[in-house]
Amino acid sequence: MNAAVEEPGRRVTTLELFFDLVFVFTLTQLTVLLADDLSFATAGRGALILVVLFWMYGAYAHLTNQVPPDRPARRLLLMLGMAAFLVCALAIPRVFEDSGVAFGLGFLGVVVVHTALYTRSHGTDSIWYGVPNALAALSVTAAGLFDGLRADGLWLLAVALQFVTPFVAEHGPRRKDGRTADVMRIQLGDLDPAHFVERHGLLLIVAFGESLIAIGIGVRELPLTVGVFGGAFLSLAVAVALWWTYFVRDEQLAEEVFRTTPAPARWRLAINAYYYAFLPMLLGIAFLAAGVKKAIGHLGEHLHTGPALALSGGVALFLLGDCAFRAVLRLHPTRYRLLAAPVVLAAALPGIALDGAAELLFLVVALASMLALEARPGRTGENSRALARA
């Protein structure tokens, strides 16, 4: 175990971080979509967009972990992938109107580049995840030709295709030794823990930047009064508390868990922790940013239901995703975060009944109390004991 802990890790390259900035632009555009119409229907469609795009982001994070962009040909292909993601991002605000086909074709370009790069390490086995992903992209492209329930159904089909891709990737290739699934799990799970964990942490950091940008957009036409500064500081305090929730101890402990997990199990651990659990965290940040953008200019007024629920619901969604992340990696405690989720969701009530400032203050107090309870003496050792048992 000591040898595993001392295993050197590769750093995230500047090109990968550049790629992440392009992907985070999709979150910015998703926030624009949500802020324009804070309804349940738009929220559901926004979730579909993020589920589809984050699947391919995760595929690229896995790709550059195993196929580092350290050669000109690989760098150029990764840049083509960035261009395809940019097409998707530009189409997001009108993806369910007249930009659906453009989004789908951009998504197809993302898949083609990804599969081509993966052939450098996995050879012809890449077809077993390239084809289901391409079918998902074609389904999204076809959705652009329709509207209403037919379009939504094709988006759901794309999500279903993505969710079965790991099973196809594990069991599709045929080998004479009969060890198909085991061989593929080892191959796919041969990840550099330090690089993989850092890559997703940096993505989360850049995503938090979206909530800060929302503050600036929300107050740009307002006089800089004491009330505006107060609202900006409260919004910043919410983002800081969420940063603290994930980045203080959890990221380092997550890397340790990955190092002590065998390659076959590491593959599934990566999907469960950094895709399924990360999805609600990223979606929560997008909802929070949309709520801040709509509410910060009206903090002294009763908030409409949409902005109030976006603020509190975004924070609650982030906490639930973080609880799932901790549960997958067996990090503790999670109970305070589970208890805090419905409490912060209830913060919408003072926002609607009183004003936006009251909701933000409620959120800050609830998150600070949660973190203070976790930091009590004797609590910080729980994760170390859990790792020792693992």
Side-chain angles (χ1 to χ4, degrees), residues 4-266:
V5 173
E6 293 171 3
E7 176 188 337
R10 184 166 60 83
R11 303 285 298 182
V12 174
T13 65
T14 53
L15 180 57
E16 290 170 278
L17 186 56
F18 195 11
F19 181 96
D20 293 354
L21 291 175
V22 176
F23 173 77
V24 169
F25 180 51
T26 66
L27 288 180
T28 301
Q29 292 290 80
L30 185 60
T31 300
V32 171
L33 176 69
L34 294 170
D36 284 346
D37 178 23
L38 280 172
S39 64
F40 287 109
T42 302
R45 288 176 169 175
L48 284 176
I49 293 171
L50 184 59
V51 168
V52 165
L53 285 181
F54 188 56
W55 174 259
M56 287 314 303
Y57 171 84
Y60 271 87
H62 197 284
L63 165 71
T64 54
N65 188 281
Q66 296 192 319
V67 186
D70 52 5
R71 304 171 194 175
R74 294 179 180 180
R75 293 184 187 122
L76 288 172
L77 281 171
L78 195 60
M79 290 173 186
L80 284 175
M82 291 165 60
F85 260 119
L86 183 62
V87 171
C88 294
L90 292 172
I92 283 176
R94 300 178 62 85
V95 69
F96 289 99
E97 297 174 19
D98 55 7
S99 299
V101 173
F103 179 97
L105 292 176
F107 179 32
L108 184 61
V110 168
V111 173
V112 170
V113 173
H114 175 267
T115 307
L117 269 168
Y118 240 130
T119 60
R120 305 300 177 93
S121 64
H122 292 184
T124 57
D125 284 344
S126 303
I127 193 173
W128 295 102
Y129 30 89
V131 169
N133 285 331
L135 291 174
L138 290 173
S139 181
V140 169
T141 305
L145 301 174
F146 302 98
D147 53 21
L149 292 178
R150 286 181 294 180
D152 293 341
L154 286 167
W155 275 84
L156 288 172
L157 175 61
V159 172
L161 286 166
Q162 289 179 333
F163 282 9
V164 302
T165 298
F167 179 84
V168 175
E170 288 178 10
H171 299 278
R174 299 287 180 181
R175 289 186 172 84
K176 295 179 181 179
D177 57 15
R179 296 184 300 121
T180 301
D182 287 340
V183 169
M184 286 304 296
R185 289 191 193 105
I186 292 171
Q187 189 178 33
L188 292 169
D190 187 21
L191 296 167
D192 183 318
H195 176 273
F196 196 76
V197 173
E198 182 188 21
R199 179 79 187 272
H200 287 84
L202 290 173
L203 171 67
L204 208 56
I205 282 285
V206 181
F208 276 129
E210 174 60 24
S211 64
L212 303 184
I213 292 170
I215 298 173
I217 294 175
V219 304
R220 62 184 173 183
E221 296 180 359
L222 299 176
L224 295 179
T225 62
V226 173
V228 168
F229 279 117
F233 290 147
L234 286 173
S235 300
L236 176 61
V238 172
V240 167
L242 295 182
W243 170 88
W244 196 294
T245 299
Y246 176 80
F247 284 98
V248 175
R249 295 192 305 274
D250 281 15
E251 190 176 37
Q252 179 183 354
L253 291 168
E255 184 179 330
E256 293 176 14
V257 171
F258 267 85
R259 286 195 186 284
T260 56
T261 301
R266 192 181 288 177

Side-chain angles (χ1 to χ4, degrees), residues 236-325:
L236 176 61
V238 172
V240 167
L242 295 182
W243 170 88
W244 196 294
T245 299
Y246 176 80
F247 284 98
V248 175
R249 295 192 305 274
D250 281 15
E251 190 176 37
Q252 179 183 354
L253 291 168
E255 184 179 330
E256 293 176 14
V257 171
F258 267 85
R259 286 195 186 284
T260 56
T261 301
R266 192 181 288 177
W267 150 244
R268 277 290 176 180
L269 190 69
I271 292 179
N272 292 335
Y274 286 100
Y275 178 69
Y276 294 119
F278 246 59
L279 262 175
M281 295 167 71
L282 288 171
L283 190 59
I285 293 173
F287 282 135
L288 173 64
V292 167
K293 188 180 294 185
K294 296 292 286 185
I296 197 166
H298 309 280
L299 291 181
E301 308 169 12
H302 299 286
L303 293 182
H304 293 296
T305 303
L309 282 176
L311 280 173
S312 61
V315 175
L317 200 54
F318 183 94
L319 291 179
L320 290 174
D322 185 71
C323 286
F325 177 83

